[in-house]
Every structure is written in C-alpha cells, then in structure tokens.
Amino acid sequence: MNIFEKIKFYTAFISAKFIEKALQICKKQATSLPGMVATKIDNSFLHNISGYSKKEIITVTGTNGKTTTSGILAAILKSSGASVVHNQKGANMPQGIASALASGVSLFKKSDYFVLENDEAYLSKIYDDIKADYLVVTNLFRDQLDRYGELETTARKIRTAIDKNPNLKVVLNADDPMLHSLYTKNTLTYGFEDINMVDINPETHSAKENVYCQCSLPLNYTKSFYAHIGHYYCSCGYSRKVPDVAASAKVYKDKAELTVKYDGKSYTFIVNIPGLYNVYNALAAIAMGLLLKISPDKIQNALDRFQSVFGRAERIEVKGKPVFIQLIKNPVGASEVIRTISNNNKSGLLIAINDEYADGRDVSWLWDTDFEALASYENTIYVSGKRAYDMALRLKYAGFNENNIKVIQDVKAAVIGALESLPENQTLNILPTYTALLYMQEFLKKL
C-alpha cells in the first residue's frame, strides 16, 4: 500500500473500531454497521485487512451448517494454540465479514488464521477481495428461492468463486450429489460410510430433491441419510466418490460418537451437540482440522469445549426455565430439527416465523417441512412472528388440534406466554427464523 492507501485503510479500521465500541455501549448489535462504514471509507478494506492472516484463510459456505461448522473449526484451531479471527456472530455478507475482521484483528499484530463463514450468493464477491486458501462446502438445499434461485444456480455461483482462485483447496461433502460441479484438482472430501440413529427416529421425511446425474438420468441410492444426502449412483456408472475422510457414526439424542478414518489412521471423536445435521457439521470441521495436521486430542478438546452459537442447538435458562433454541430456515433443516424433538412430548414448543429479507420473503417452504412428525404433540404450540397465521394454518393442515395452537404475533409476548405456561421439569423448544432469532437475542437475557 502507498501512503495514501495506508491512510484510508487506517482511517477505515479505526472508524470501524469506534463504531463497534459505541454500539456496544448503547447495547446494540454490531454485526454490519462497522463494516459498512469501513468499506465506504476504503473500498479495498477487505483486501487490505486480509493481509493480517499469517497462515491460512479458511472460508465456509453451503446452505445449512455454515455457522456451526465454522464455529467448531475456529475452536479446533484455538485448541491447537493458534490465534483465530472468526465472524462468530454469523454475519456472512461482505459488510458483516468486514465488521468481524475489524473487530478481531489487532492493528499491530497478525493472527494465524481467519475462519470466515460466507453467504453462498456473496462468495464470489468476497473472493474479489479476499484470496482464501481453503473453502469448505457443507451442502446445498433448496433455500430462500427469492434470493438464491434453484440449487443449480447456487452451485454455479459457488463455482464462479472457486474459479477465481486456481490454487484454492476445496473441502466437499462427498454425500451431497449437488456438489459434483464443484470438484477441482485440489479437492478433499468427507462423508459417512454408515450412520446408526440410536435413540432418534431413524426415519427421515426431509424434503428430497430430484437429483440428476451429469448424463441427465435420475440418481439412485444404496444408502439415504436425509434429504438427498447419502450414497448415490447412476446406471451410467457415475457414483459417489469414496471420501478422503470417511466416518461412521452412532447418533444419540444429545450427542454422537464418530469413528473417523483419514490417511490410513482411525480416530474416535465424541460430539456433544444434537442432530444428524450437526454430526455432518462436526465431520466437516474435523476433516479440515486433520487436513491442517492438528492432533486428534486437540480436536477432541475443542469438541468438548465447543458451545453452540446463539440459536444453533443452544441451551440456555430463561426465568429459571430451560430453553432449547434451534434456527429454522428451509424445509430440510427444519425437518431435521423437528426430528430431534419429535419424540419428546414433555416439552413446550414455540415457532416464530418472520419474512424479512434475511429470512426470505417466500414462506412456502413451511409446506415442504415435516411438521406432521409433531402431530402427536399434545401440549399447546405457540406460534409467533410476522407470519404467525401462516404457521398456524400449516399446523392445522398437519393434523394439529386447532385448540392447541395459540397465536401471539409479538415474539417477546409469545416467549413470555410460553414460559409462563411451561410445566415444571419441561424444556421450551423455540424454533425461530433468522430475524426472529436476532430479536430474541436482544431481550431473552433481560427477562
């Protein structure tokens, strides 16, 4: 950078720090505004600040699991003794990433790693400024069609980003056939050879895409884990690649046991977060950790200490009562979340649906979600948010007793009502969309 560029960068950096501090004093969220100001002052801010990583810049994208995967990976790197800058609040568009980097970077000391969760639609734009070393792709599911379009469109956007950096190392989920167009000469894959659901309903009714081979014939499956994730093949000879990091799993209600094979060695890991989808997230982070030659004991130490990011399978206490929060935003993710709670009638349930830009304006995905799996639920279900009545209608057609559906559009009032009616020794499950989750983050700890 010349002297003029340095002045612009330092001005942008200090301004972002100042705005972040001011927002914290005012007890406001600081996910995007500091980055917005920084990039206005210096339009090369992301490029310039990316130079503050000494070792590797690791990016994570995909429909579901970005936040949890990048969170576990950041924990693994920190467990190895490395310094890590990570957009842990989940703001994954350019301005949010700029905010996170401005917050985490020290002006006079470089960090070892950047771990950056990236929105699929903005990945190519981010790669214009940041030259990543690794890209982890978790999966591709139908999500926010008004923003992303069809899955092939999303895959093309990611591919465009990959093609901007021929030296990029790509880490892919081998069990997702929607990722076949993302393979490069520098690809490592991870996947499951077998999964045993121990005390969770083994049947999945997640919305399954009609997935086709490159030859245009429909794919077949020898094993189907959920949605279109599994062991696939085509009569033309195309099939799932044997993953470089191959695992088997026993999945319990609150944890999972993974046996992972890589580079001729076998390791066992315990993952203390619920849900098959989180088992995949953990494996993606473990694969990346092994690729970076981090020892298995350091990886397990990180898994033991990892705490779920707000709203992603997070357990907290509100007004002395246990609350379990799981973000929902598309049919597959929501159906798998429902599977984790479907066998537990001794719990409260609140579903909060908004339709802001960050949620997706189109809420037709509710009709592709397996709410029927909760049809035997006997307690009152609270529904809230701007599209509360759409959610209530969906539950009615899923077979719920209308007298057990209580609509309170104001999210805070709904949470208070659900907590007050919650019997002793029960947990309140809250399933919010993204902006409803952000709103709850502002008031839950104050109740």
Side-chain angles (χ1 to χ4, degrees):
M1 288 187 287
N2 59 38
I3 186 64
F4 178 69
E5 290 170 337
K6 286 182 179 180
I7 290 172
K8 278 206 306 182
F9 172 69
Y10 293 145
T11 302
F13 185 91
I14 293 168
S15 297
K17 289 279 194 185
F18 176 81
I19 293 169
E20 179 192 26
K21 190 65 176 177
L23 288 170
Q24 289 174 349
I25 292 171
C26 296
K27 298 182 179 180
K28 299 291 184 181
Q29 292 289 327
T31 56
S32 295
L33 182 59
M36 184 187 303
V37 172
T39 53
K40 284 287 186 182
I41 295 172
D42 178 9
N43 58 10
S44 298
F45 181 77
L46 277 175
H47 171 74
N48 291 331
I49 201 168
S50 67
Y52 280 78
S53 170
K54 285 192 296 186
K55 293 184 177 179
E56 315 280 5
I57 297 177
I58 305 165
T59 51
V60 181
T61 197
T63 305
N64 291 340
K66 299 183 289 290
T67 302
T68 300
T69 299
S70 57
I72 296 173
L73 178 55
I76 289 172
L77 294 171
K78 289 176 183 177
S79 181
S80 72
S83 55
V84 181
V85 177
H86 166 221
N87 55 335
Q88 60 185 6
K89 293 180 180 178
N92 56 26
M93 297 181 191
Q95 292 169 348
I97 291 173
S99 291
L101 292 179
S103 175
V105 163
S106 170
L107 195 57
F108 305 106
K109 183 179 179 182
K110 291 187 176 183
S111 298
D112 293 315
Y113 294 96
F114 288 177
V115 176
L116 303 176
E117 171 192 339
N118 295 264
D119 180 277
E120 309 93 280
Y122 284 89
L123 183 65
S124 181
K125 182 174 177 58
I126 291 164
Y127 274 17
D128 285 337
D129 295 309
I130 295 178
K131 187 176 181 180
D133 298 286
Y134 292 91
L135 171 65
V136 180
V137 187
T138 58
N139 48 58
L140 284 181
F141 297 122
R142 193 179 295 266
D143 182 37
Q144 297 188 35
L145 295 181
D146 52 328
R147 285 189 59 216
Y148 297 111
E150 294 293 337
L151 295 184
E152 292 81 2
T153 303
T154 306
R156 283 196 296 271
K157 290 178 179 179
I158 297 174
R159 183 74 214 196
T160 299
I162 291 172
D163 290 341
K164 289 182 175 181
N165 183 0
N167 296 318
L168 182 71
K169 301 176 185 69
V170 184
V171 180
L172 298 178
N173 180 354
D175 298 344
D176 187 348
M178 290 305 304
L179 305 184
H180 70 84
S181 65
L182 305 183
Y183 280 78
T184 72
K185 64 180 181 180
N186 295 322
T187 294
L188 177 135
T189 58
Y190 64 92
F192 283 97
E193 297 305 298
D194 194 31
I195 295 174
N196 179 18
M197 307 295 283
V198 179
D199 54 6
I200 298 176
N201 185 356
E203 294 186 12
T204 176
H205 299 284
S206 297
K208 189 172 184 178
E209 296 294 327
N210 293 319
V211 185
Y212 292 86
C213 177
Q214 299 171 69
C215 74
S216 299
L217 290 174
L219 291 177
N220 303 298
Y221 284 78
T222 57
K223 292 183 181 180
S224 181
F225 298 132
Y226 73 102
H228 57 261
I229 305 297
H231 294 189
Y232 49 87
Y233 70 95
C234 178
S235 56
C236 76
Y238 171 76
S239 64
R240 164 188 178 267
K241 296 179 183 295
V242 176
D244 299 293
V245 180
S248 60
K250 292 181 179 179
V251 183
Y252 301 87
K253 185 169 65 174
D254 295 317
K255 66 176 184 178
E257 180 180 319
L258 276 63
T259 300
V260 179
K261 295 181 180 180
Y262 173 63
D263 200 22
K265 297 179 181 179
S266 181
Y267 313 99
T268 299
F269 298 102
I270 303 299
V271 178
N272 295 308
I273 45 178
L276 176 56
Y277 50 95
N278 277 325
V279 174
Y280 266 96
N281 297 336
L283 181 60
I286 290 168
M288 193 66 238
L290 292 173
L291 183 61
L292 293 172
K293 302 186 184 307
I294 296 174
S295 66
D297 60 317
K298 299 290 187 185
I299 293 175
Q300 185 58 62
N301 180 262
L303 292 170
D304 290 340
R305 298 185 336 188
F306 175 73
Q307 293 184 336
S308 297
V309 179
F310 183 79
R312 276 76 167 184
E314 184 191 29
R315 297 184 185 276
I316 61 174
E317 191 172 280
V318 182
K319 301 185 78 170
K321 296 183 177 181
V323 174
F324 188 33
I325 308 172
Q326 300 192 78
L327 173 72
I328 59 172
K329 64 190 185 81
N330 56 51
V332 171
S335 295
E336 288 302 304
V337 164
I338 288 168
R339 181 151 64 138
T340 67
I341 64 174
S342 61
N343 292 334
N344 185 8
N345 281 328
K346 292 185 177 180
S347 62
L349 180 59
L350 187 157
I351 306 173
I353 306 296
N354 280 350
D355 63 352
E356 300 291 350
Y357 175 75
D359 305 298
R361 302 289 189 187
D362 181 0
V363 297
S364 62
W365 62 271
L366 297 175
W367 295 89
D368 294 323
T369 299
D370 185 27
F371 289 105
E372 284 76 7
L374 292 170
S376 62
Y377 190 85
E378 297 177 354
N379 297 338
T380 298
I381 297 180
Y382 286 79
V383 292
S384 186
K386 293 186 176 181
R387 302 302 287 267
Y389 286 98
D390 294 79
M391 187 66 247
L393 182 65
R394 175 67 184 95
L395 293 177
K396 174 185 174 181
Y397 279 93
F400 288 82
N401 184 334
E402 293 179 53
N403 294 325
N404 289 346
I405 303 171
K406 187 163 186 175
V407 178
I408 303 177
Q409 281 193 282
D410 181 78
V411 175
K412 184 175 181 179
V415 171
I416 293 172
L419 284 170
E420 289 177 347
S421 66
L422 188 71
E424 291 293 326
N425 302 317
Q426 290 196 12
T427 297
L428 176 61
N429 291 293
I430 303 180
L431 312 184
T433 57
Y434 185 68
T435 61
L437 175 66
L438 290 182
Y439 176 48
M440 285 193 294
Q441 192 173 14
E442 294 179 4
F443 68 77
L444 276 181
K445 294 180 180 179
K446 301 175 184 176
L447 291 180

